[in-house]
Amino acid sequence: MNKSELIEQIAKRSGLSLAGSRRALDAVLASVSEALSEGDRVQLVGFGTFKITERNSREGRNPKTGEVIQIPASKTPSFTAGAELKKAVNGR
């Protein structure tokens, strides 16, 4: 499912117009992104938790030359599925 299809589903289930559904989805995504950029975690009970995890710096290899390179530390978004989402995916 892509974003347009998701917007159509939101409109169908909520009774909102397509434009209203698009604004609602964009607002949710912007709010999650903003919260994560501020270091907060976003927990949607039953669905899952979005958070930022930190990766340590480490050594890697350039696959083309085999040269050892230093990969810098970084932050990355992560998602942990909630119980209800896991049940839905597993058909329970």
Side-chain angles (χ1 to χ4, degrees):
M1 176 181 288
N2 62 31
K3 186 176 180 180
S4 295
E5 293 167 339
L6 181 58
I7 290 168
E8 289 174 10
Q9 286 295 313
I10 292 169
K12 180 179 172 183
R13 291 173 184 253
S14 69
L16 294 171
S17 66
L18 286 176
S21 297
R22 179 180 305 278
R23 285 192 304 272
L25 179 59
D26 288 344
V28 168
L29 296 177
S31 297
V32 169
S33 294
E34 184 178 330
L36 290 175
S37 70
E38 293 174 358
D40 296 334
R41 73 177 11 178
V42 177
Q43 184 175 12
L44 304 173
V45 176
F47 183 74
T49 303
F50 297 90
K51 63 183 177 179
I52 297 294
T53 57
E54 295 189 24
R55 293 182 176 175
N56 295 326
S57 62
R58 62 195 189 280
E59 287 186 351
R61 290 202 178 268
N62 179 331
K64 197 171 192 177
T65 64
E67 174 188 6
V68 175
I69 58 173
Q70 188 66 27
I71 301 171
S74 63
K75 294 179 180 178
T76 186
S78 67
F79 175 75
T80 303
E84 293 300 316
L85 179 58
K86 288 178 184 178
K87 285 180 187 176
V89 169
N90 288 310
R92 296 182 188 163

